Structures are given as structure tokens and as C-alpha cells.
Amino acid sequence: MTDQLNMPVITSMEVMPVAGYDSMLMTLSGAHAPVFTRNLVILRDSFGHTGIGEIHGGDYTKESLEAFIPLVVNRPVMRYRNILDAIHKAAKRAADDDGEGIQTLDISKLKYVVKSEWAIECALLDLAGQALGMRMCDLLGEGKQRDRVEVLGYLFYVSDRHQAEELHYLDESDSSDPWFRMRREKMLSHEEIVSQARCLHEKYGFRNFKLKGGVFSGTYEMETVRALKKAFPGGRINIDPNGAWSLQEAINLCRDMKNTLTYVEDPCGPESGYSSREIMTEFKNAVQIPVATNMIATDWRQFYHALSHRSVDIVLADPHFWGFEGTIRMSQLLNSWGLTWGSHSNNHFDITLAAFAQVGAAAAGDPAPMDTHWIWQDGQDLLEDAPKIRDGYLEVPDKPGLGVTLNMKRVEEANRLYNTLTSHDRDDAMAMQYLIKDWKYDSKKPCLVR
Ligand code: GKR
Ligand code: MG
């Protein structure tokens, strides 16, 4: 069958690496550096439309994307399924990808869990939607399920940037916005995290929060969780220590938290020769509390084993790991089986925020409020019209495709910042070593416990 002549054809594909500013956010893997990187895909078609996608930063992802250009350019937009199929068939596993995934949060392996082609899928769906005059969420799964998508306030302990003066973290102390003023400063105590949550509630309306753990002892972090629940008694409070706790420690910490935590995310990891899928099953058997993951089910094969073991209740199926069609398929399966869909995030710009709005709008069932790191980047917009978070909900653009427009001037600025960097890969040990000399990553030790 031949393609209709009046269908748009992709005329160019550009891969644009960009960088943005971040705070000294603390996680199991160390301290976020002052600058983070992402890759953008910009497609143009014969109808004069532009399609965009955003994915993780770094040279590996950029080079993978560039290698796919010949499979994309000159192809009809509406052949997007065939284009993606050709990309999957051409994609090769990297020589040093051992298939371990991120069950121990080794962030050097994150680039293998993220699939660069999903940025191409996003840009293709954006173009397809514009050609058809339909929103991206109407092209996915069973179409749009909701007009606005609940997101949570992603809370982080933040270290004192003055301890790493020469890294020049952004200083927003003169901002007129209370959240912008707060987000670059030290917040390590329970009270400071509660103030962080209150400030986010004021600005974005969040009532539900997730605390990034794996920083202090589990006992200290549970105190923070209790303080949050006290401040927001009707709110959903979650914690994600990224598998830092041993099975026994996780059981001890969570046993009495059923009325405080809505779910616990990746409480423990592999131990004593058992994989994290087996260990999380034992945790769930011992503590009847919902468990979420973005570490032990990051592809369909891992998902099969996680489900066979009944290790998790909530799969945070980030479209950057699973693809857009993939994450929606996941939401349908989970919903049919009485389980819950949500999405994980990493630092991102507003193009990913728009993509989250579209998948969140199309996800089947009753999703968990979605993660987003964007509040830490709000204001560094690469779009003319970044979707808004109001009253704790992300608004879904009511325009065809992704429903947003690139601000090329801002993109070029972000690309210039990227070009000043000597390394493009995420390295949380670098900034961490300003806080603790010779600090080394240990998947079983919270980063400030040495
Ligand atoms: O931003 O450092 C971070 C997070 O720890 C991120 O890397 C994780 O992938 O937030 C993520 C998670 O839920 O595990
Ligand atoms: Mg997580």
C-alpha cells in the first residue's frame, strides 16, 4: 500500500544537547551537581510543523540518537510505528551494558535503562497529532482520560552550596519568588523539609509529597516523614530511599508507618544472593504496605519477574524508560490487574513536563500522583508555553500533538551552557566529595552516613 501524497514527511532531525541549573540535592548516589544535562530531539516536517522530545543527557544518549537520524528523515510522519520498529531492530546493546539495570542505583547504568528512541517517539507523536489536529493523549491507549494530572511535590534534603563554593551553584537569594529563594539553600532538618513542603503547597498547591531518602539514617528520615504527616494530615506522604535499607531495617522502619506512609518506594535492594525482586517480596510479606518501584521493573522482562514474585503494587513506568505506548500499555495492564501506575522522574525541562501531562492524561485507571523534578528547574523554560501546575495538578495543553512551542532562543542558551561543560554525564560523587572527602558510592549506605 502506498502512503497518501498529502501526508507530511519528516524533512530533518536535529539532536540538541542542553544543560540547566540545579540545587545541591542529596540522594543515595551523592549530591546533584550545579548543572544537569538533557538531549532534545527536534523534527521538522513538510507541513512546516516541528515535533519535539526530551530525554536524559550525556554523550551515549546523544550518539545513539544521532545514529538513528537516517532511519527517521524522509519517512512519512504517519509511519511512526514502522520508524520506531526499525530503530528497535537497529539498536544494539552497548558492550558494557551487563543488563543489571538500576537495582542498585548505579547511575552509570541509567543510560542503558533510558532508551534514547523514546525522545524520537515523542517528537513523532507530536508531529502526528499536529497533522491530524489531535492531542497526543488522544493518540495513546484509550485516549484522554482526564483534563489535568495529579503530580506530587518531590522533596529533597539540600546541602549547603557554600561548602562547594568553587562549583558556583545558582544563587537565587534575590528572587521575588519565595520558592525560588528557598530552593538553592540548605535544607537538612525536619523543620526545613516541612517548610519546603509548605512553600511548595503555597506555590503549586501540592498536598501530596515524596521525600527522597537514602541521605541520612532511616530513623532520621522517618522522623522527617512523621513531621510531614503532622503538617499535612490529609496528604499522601511517600519516601524513596532507592534501596538503601537492608530488608530487616526496612521492616523495622516501616512496620508502624501504615497510617503515615501511602507507599514506600524501593525500600530495599539485593542482598545475601537474592535479587531485589525477591527481597522486596519478603518486605511486602512482612509489612503490608504498598510498594512502588522504578528500580526493579524497568523493562518487560524485569516486570514479569517482579509480578511473578508479587514484589510491587505500583510501577513508576517513566516514559523515558518504557516509551509512550509502552507506559500506557503498562497502565492498562496494571489497572486490569488491580495494581497502580505512576511515573518516576529525573531532573528535566518543561518538554518532559509536557510529555508527562500527555501520558498522565492517557493513563488507564486511577494513577498515583506523578513524580516530577521540574519544580527545581521551574523558570528555566525551553518552551513558550510550559504547562502549569496549579492546585497540585498539571494542566494538559488543549492543542494538537504535544501542544507546546519551543523557544529557540532559550534552547540555544541552554545549548551554549552545555558546551561550556567538560563532562556531560551525571556524576553525583563529584559534588559529594566537597561534603565528605574521598566519598565513594555505596548502594547500602545513605550518602551522608560514612
Ligand atoms: O534525582 O537524584 C535524583 C533521584 O534519585 C533520581 O536519580 C532517581 O532516579 O528520583 C529517582 C527515583 O525515584 O529513584
Ligand atoms: Mg525511585
Side-chain angles (χ1 to χ4, degrees):
M1 203 167 124
T2 52
D3 289 307
Q4 296 209 337
L5 289 177
N6 62 352
M7 276 291 142
V9 169
I10 299 149
T11 52
S12 71
M13 170 171 158
E14 196 177 350
V15 181
M16 179 76 98
V18 286
Y21 297 101
D22 199 10
S23 305
M24 201 173 194
L25 302 180
M26 306 302 292
T27 83
L28 182 69
S29 47
H32 284 203
V35 174
F36 71 101
T37 62
R38 302 285 281 176
N39 281 296
L40 306 186
V41 168
I42 307 175
L43 299 182
R44 294 203 164 78
D45 73 14
S46 53
F47 277 15
H49 294 144
T50 301
I52 47 181
E54 175 184 340
I55 194 108
H56 287 57
D59 298 332
Y60 174 81
T61 302
K62 177 173 171 284
E63 284 157 22
S64 311
L65 284 168
E66 285 165 346
F68 296 140
I69 292 176
L71 300 175
V72 178
V73 176
N74 292 327
R75 301 280 289 132
V77 169
M78 298 315 295
R79 288 275 169 197
Y80 64 89
R81 288 177 198 277
N82 307 103
I83 298 173
L84 290 166
D85 184 44
I87 289 176
H88 292 147
K89 290 188 171 135
K92 290 191 191 63
R93 190 156 154 175
D96 57 350
D97 175 6
D98 58 10
E100 157 80 20
I102 49 167
Q103 63 167 326
T104 59
L105 198 75
D106 177 346
I107 52 172
S108 65
K109 294 185 175 156
L110 186 62
K111 59 179 181 281
Y112 302 133
V113 169
V114 168
K115 300 278 180 283
S116 60
E117 59 265 36
W118 302 135
I120 302 176
E121 184 188 23
C122 184
L124 286 169
L125 287 167
D126 189 7
L127 288 181
Q130 292 178 68
L132 298 169
M134 291 170 73
R135 286 172 299 221
M136 188 190 283
C137 56
D138 282 318
L139 297 176
L140 293 168
E142 291 143 74
K144 184 164 77 65
Q145 305 292 303
R146 53 195 68 79
D147 292 324
R148 52 183 204 154
V149 174
E150 193 165 10
V151 283
L152 52 73
Y154 210 150
L155 310 174
F156 280 77
Y157 295 106
V158 184
S159 276
D160 180 6
R161 62 188 164 85
H162 300 290
Q163 285 186 258
E165 210 73 78
E166 65 193 71
L167 296 183
H168 304 294
Y169 281 88
L170 206 61
D171 178 353
E172 290 188 289
S173 52
D174 61 354
S175 171
S176 57
D177 182 304
W179 166 239
F180 290 4
R181 269 202 309 278
M182 174 183 272
R183 66 185 173 176
R184 308 298 174 211
E185 305 305 329
K186 177 175 89 62
M187 287 177 271
L188 295 172
S189 69
H190 312 310
E191 297 72 25
E192 285 164 333
I193 296 295
V194 170
S195 305
Q196 187 184 121
R198 285 195 201 284
C199 192
L200 289 170
H201 170 72
E202 281 301 307
K203 184 166 171 70
Y204 302 102
F206 298 126
R207 283 170 296 272
N208 303 311
F209 299 96
K210 177 177 292 180
L211 175 66
K212 176 52 69 179
V215 179
F216 293 105
S217 71
T219 317
Y220 181 91
E221 292 179 356
M222 283 307 189
E223 273 311 301
T224 308
V225 166
R226 285 195 192 89
L228 284 165
K229 187 68 180 176
K230 199 165 162 210
F232 293 89
R236 294 164 56 112
I237 314 293
N238 314 311
I239 183 166
D240 176 13
N242 284 115
W245 305 329
S246 69
L247 173 61
Q248 194 53 54
E249 190 185 3
I251 293 172
N252 295 343
L253 287 168
C254 297
R255 194 178 265 139
D256 298 327
M257 296 298 279
K258 282 181 210 153
N259 296 326
T260 308
L261 285 172
T262 309
Y263 66 75
V264 58
E265 181 171 329
D266 291 307
C268 22
E271 88 186 34
S272 310
Y274 295 93
S275 81
S276 27
R277 285 168 277 277
E278 293 158 325
I279 294 294
M280 297 239 302
T281 304
E282 293 188 31
F283 171 82
K284 263 175 61 69
N285 290 341
V287 184
Q288 302 289 316
I289 194 170
V291 171
T293 190
N294 64 280
M295 293 171 70
I296 68 164
T298 62
D299 62 29
W300 294 107
R301 183 174 169 192
Q302 290 178 6
F303 176 62
Y304 166 76
H305 290 290
L307 259 263
S308 313
H309 283 285
R310 297 180 185 234
S311 320
V312 292
D313 307 280
I314 302 166
V315 179
L316 303 172
D318 186 337
H320 305 86
F321 294 8
W322 293 87
F324 289 74
E325 298 255 13
T327 190
I328 296 304
R329 195 183 324 144
M330 173 67 87
S331 75
Q332 294 167 326
L333 286 178
L334 292 170
N335 185 43
S336 308
W337 297 337
L339 300 168
T340 304
W341 176 91
S343 181
H344 147 275
S345 82
N346 276 116
N347 287 111
H348 61 87
F349 285 105
D350 43 350
I351 300 156
T352 283
L353 188 71
F356 279 178
Q358 298 291 341
V359 291
D366 185 15
M370 291 176 77
D371 294 9
T372 171
H373 282 53
W374 179 78
I375 52 174
W376 299 92
Q377 273 67 55
D378 183 1
Q380 304 177 46
D381 300 351
L382 301 184
L383 296 172
E384 305 279 0
D385 43 7
K388 296 270 175 295
I389 299 176
R390 288 195 187 100
D391 197 27
Y393 287 81
L394 174 59
E395 293 170 1
V396 184
D398 191 19
K399 282 190 249 164
L402 195 54
V404 289
T405 309
L406 267 190
N407 178 334
M408 276 317 287
K409 195 165 158 280
R410 300 297 289 270
V411 170
E412 279 155 18
E413 270 167 33
N415 175 252
R416 275 196 291 279
L417 176 62
Y418 176 91
N419 288 330
T420 63
L421 303 175
T422 46
S423 163
H424 303 135
D425 289 322
R426 179 170 159 186
D427 176 6
D428 292 10
M430 184 277 295
M432 193 64 215
Q433 285 162 358
Y434 284 82
L435 304 175
I436 297 178
K437 195 169 171 299
D438 299 328
W439 183 92
K440 281 201 180 57
Y441 178 66
D442 181 337
S443 65
K444 298 316 288 177
K445 279 200 187 130
C447 70
L448 284 174
V449 178
R450 287 292 183 276

